[in-house]
Structure formats: C-alpha cells, structure tokens
Amino acid sequence: MKKSRILGVGHYVPERSVSNFELSEMMNTNNDWIVERTGIETRHWFTPGVDTVTSMAKNATEMAMDRAGVTPKEIDFIIFATITPDYFIPGNGVLLQRELGFGTIGALDIRNACSGFIYALSIADQFIKTGMYKKILVVGAEIQSSALDKSDEGRSSSVIFADGAGTAILGAVETDQPGILSTHLHSEGEYAEELYCKDPGSSREVRISPELIDSGSFFLKMNGNAVFKHAVVRFMEVIKEALEANKLDQSAIDLLVPHQANLRISQYIQKQLGLPSEKVFNNIMSKGNTTAATIPIALSEAWEQGKIKEGDLICLAAFGSGFTWASALLRW
C-alpha cells in the first residue's frame, strides 16, 4: 500500500489588485474599518476577457508541475474544487483537462467552498492509497468578485472575497516516506443559509427571471457573526482531531496554514494553540479570501518564501459555507 505526498504546489492571482481605498469609492466603507474587522488591505479581482477560473487554474497547474518535475502525461486524475465554475455545466475539471492537453483522464468537481481544497486533498489521498492512481492534480480556484454585492448593503462580504487559483500535485510514495498522515472532514447543514448564494437554483419554476434579478438573491449572503462564532470552535476541534489521530502535540506543528477567512480568526486560533507567529502562515492581508483557493495559494507562497522545508509537519485547516470544516496533517 502506498501513501500520498505533495510533490509540487503552484498559484496564480489576477493582475488587478484592489485596495481598500478603491472599495471606499464603491461603497460606504474605509480602510481602517476593513483592516480592523478582517485584516485585509488589498485583494485581487479578475479582469473580464482575460481571466477565467480555467485560465487561472492552468497557470497555477503549470507552476506546480514545473516545481514537481511532472509532465501532463503523468497526471492520472483531476480533482477540481470551486463554487464559481466558468459554466453552470459542465464542471471546471474537464475544461482544465482540455486546456492543458491531458489525456482522457477522469475529472471530478467538488463544491465544498472554503473547505474544498482539503476535501479534494482527502479524496486524492484515498485514490492514491488504494493504488488506483499514481499522480493526481488537486485544484482550488475561484472568481468571486463578479458575485459580490458592491453596494452599501453587501459591503460586509464584498470587502472580504477575492479571486485566484492554487494547485498541488499529489504522488504515490512508499509508506515510510513523508506525506499525508491523515485528513478529517465534517459538515453541519443546519447552518447552510448563514453563508450561501441562493440563486440560480434548480428548485425554481425558472432558474433566472426578472423577479429573481430584482431580488438580489444571486449575491453572496453571509451572517458574519454566526460564521465567526462557529469557525473559532470548529477550527480548534478539527486541528486537535488531526493531532490526536497521529498522537502528536500542537508544539510539533512546524507550520499551520489555515483557510484565509479572516485574520482575526487565524490570530485567535494561533493564540489558542500557543503557536509563535513564524509557525502560522497568513496572506489574507494581500490576497483576501479566495475560498477553495486560499490554502493552496498560501502553501505555494509559503514554500517559495522558504517557510516550508522537507520533513516539516504541516497542518491545514478550513471552515466555511455548508457549514463544512476539515483538516489535514502532513509531513512535507
């Protein structure tokens, strides 16, 4: 039986950087208000006609394959995590397969929002452990800026979310080598409507109508207080679950890479775990919340900045819409 190991990571963010000062010209907000509540100073939004979810994922994948020393012919399967696909159907996995000229390999799309990358990583881990595939491309990519209500009413969420893509190449290695130790997945649908985008949904007489457009039900809606309240609890639970499953103490963590939901959440988790700042990687200040893409983008940046070394114990954790939450513990 094999185990899976991350062989390479890559990321891409659109060229357009949007500052808090620019947002203050669109809605009634200001730089101090945004920084105090979220930690975000700038974020990247896509350029229509230039960036797509597929093109961003392609750029991130090419970087990851180059770093891993892997060719397109070696990729056996694609798992694509996004809640903002280029098309309603088909999913984005096949579009990336076409764009990169992969063979007729399988492509699986999942919609687990902020926890999407860890869910995808877990699925890939199982495929590799069973021997079904040897190398799997795992993608998290989002274009969210086009789904934001940029009026005063929607400012609490529109200042947070951003666009970008991150990828990881997983490969099969021997069980005595570094790699993924365990993954842990959870959900609680009771709170689905605390962070969701209602339309266009299939359980309507028509998916799109003038009334629907006027209602604004296609904009992302978030109860920030409820999300924060649940996130700080579930983050801690799922991180401790991963450590306990591997009989490790939190002091063994070399780097925690949390989903970049809110800098205040990350700082709270850091304090609860007693980790020094150099053991927690945050980039929400310049990237915003890119949902399924936050963790792979952060992993890629941490690696290129020399903050991840071979043999390091890395903990990934996420919480978001669904509610879903997840963690992964791996030896780099």
Side-chain angles (χ1 to χ4, degrees), residues 130-308:
T130 61
M132 186 167 183
Y133 299 119
K134 293 181 180 179
K135 288 186 175 64
I136 299 177
L137 169 62
V138 181
V139 182
E142 308 281 8
I143 287 180
Q144 298 174 116
S145 58
S146 57
L148 301 177
D149 179 0
K150 302 180 182 74
S151 69
D152 290 351
E153 184 179 353
R155 64 179 176 176
S156 61
S157 57
S158 59
V159 301
I160 294 173
F161 293 96
D163 309 333
T167 60
I169 309 292
L170 260 66
V173 296
E174 299 300 326
T175 55
D176 60 348
Q177 291 188 37
I180 294 178
L181 303 179
S182 64
T183 57
H184 308 269
L185 314 176
H186 297 276
S187 71
E188 192 171 20
E190 178 182 350
Y191 302 100
E193 287 75 26
E194 302 291 6
L195 176 52
Y196 81 130
C197 187
K198 183 178 180 180
D199 286 306
S202 299
S203 55
R204 318 281 184 272
E205 187 173 355
V206 291
R207 287 181 181 172
I208 300 175
S209 66
E211 292 77 18
L212 183 151
I213 293 171
D214 290 341
S215 74
S217 61
F218 53 89
F219 285 132
L220 181 73
K221 306 293 183 183
M222 179 176 68
N223 180 344
N225 290 334
V227 172
F228 187 95
K229 176 183 175 182
H230 287 267
V232 292
V233 173
R234 297 308 192 185
F235 260 110
M236 287 300 302
E237 286 180 352
V238 81
I239 291 170
K240 288 184 176 180
E241 180 182 2
L243 291 168
E244 290 170 4
N246 293 280
K247 298 180 173 56
L248 292 168
D249 183 79
Q250 54 211 47
S251 61
I253 296 174
D254 291 303
L255 191 68
L256 171 66
V257 182
H259 163 57
Q260 303 294 296
N262 185 306
L263 187 59
R264 290 191 301 147
I265 294 175
S266 295
Q267 290 171 336
Y268 176 85
I269 300 306
Q270 175 185 341
K271 183 178 180 181
Q272 292 298 304
L273 290 171
L275 295 175
S277 295
E278 62 268 20
K279 287 195 172 188
V280 182
F281 189 84
N282 289 302
N283 64 357
I284 191 172
M285 302 81 75
S286 61
K287 299 298 186 298
N289 180 344
T290 56
T291 304
T294 71
I295 288 178
I297 290 174
L299 270 177
S300 180
E301 288 194 334
W303 180 85
E304 70 182 14
Q305 291 173 24
K307 295 182 178 180
I308 297 179

Side-chain angles (χ1 to χ4, degrees), residues 8-220:
V9 285
H11 71 282
Y12 172 86
V13 292
E15 183 177 347
R16 182 188 176 193
S17 178
V18 179
S19 70
N20 293 340
F21 299 100
E22 184 174 344
L23 292 184
S24 69
E25 297 175 357
M26 303 178 191
M27 62 197 81
N28 184 20
T29 189
N30 60 71
N31 178 69
D32 292 343
W33 187 89
I34 297 171
V35 172
E36 179 183 349
R37 286 162 177 77
T38 70
I40 302 170
E41 299 173 8
T42 60
R43 76 284 291 145
H44 292 262
W45 285 359
F46 86 119
T47 299
V50 176
D51 300 304
T52 65
V53 173
T54 304
S55 71
M56 295 192 306
K58 177 187 177 184
N59 290 332
T61 298
E62 289 174 337
M63 179 185 289
M65 289 193 300
D66 181 64
R67 290 172 171 177
V70 170
T71 66
K73 291 183 178 180
E74 295 178 74
I75 302 296
D76 301 316
F77 196 67
I78 301 166
I79 305 177
F80 203 121
T82 185
I83 55 168
T84 58
D86 287 323
Y87 300 148
F88 194 87
I89 52 174
N92 246 95
V94 298
L95 303 181
L96 184 61
Q97 179 271 338
R98 176 179 66 183
E99 193 71 18
L100 283 167
F102 291 137
T104 56
I105 60 175
L108 172 66
D109 287 70
I110 64 170
R111 294 172 49 84
N112 290 82
C114 303
S115 303
F117 181 78
I118 299 181
Y119 266 74
L121 200 70
S122 181
I123 295 167
D125 185 39
Q126 314 314 314
F127 274 131
I128 287 175
K129 283 178 178 177
T130 61
M132 186 167 183
Y133 299 119
K134 293 181 180 179
K135 288 186 175 64
I136 299 177
L137 169 62
V138 181
V139 182
E142 308 281 8
I143 287 180
Q144 298 174 116
S145 58
S146 57
L148 301 177
D149 179 0
K150 302 180 182 74
S151 69
D152 290 351
E153 184 179 353
R155 64 179 176 176
S156 61
S157 57
S158 59
V159 301
I160 294 173
F161 293 96
D163 309 333
T167 60
I169 309 292
L170 260 66
V173 296
E174 299 300 326
T175 55
D176 60 348
Q177 291 188 37
I180 294 178
L181 303 179
S182 64
T183 57
H184 308 269
L185 314 176
H186 297 276
S187 71
E188 192 171 20
E190 178 182 350
Y191 302 100
E193 287 75 26
E194 302 291 6
L195 176 52
Y196 81 130
C197 187
K198 183 178 180 180
D199 286 306
S202 299
S203 55
R204 318 281 184 272
E205 187 173 355
V206 291
R207 287 181 181 172
I208 300 175
S209 66
E211 292 77 18
L212 183 151
I213 293 171
D214 290 341
S215 74
S217 61
F218 53 89
F219 285 132
L220 181 73

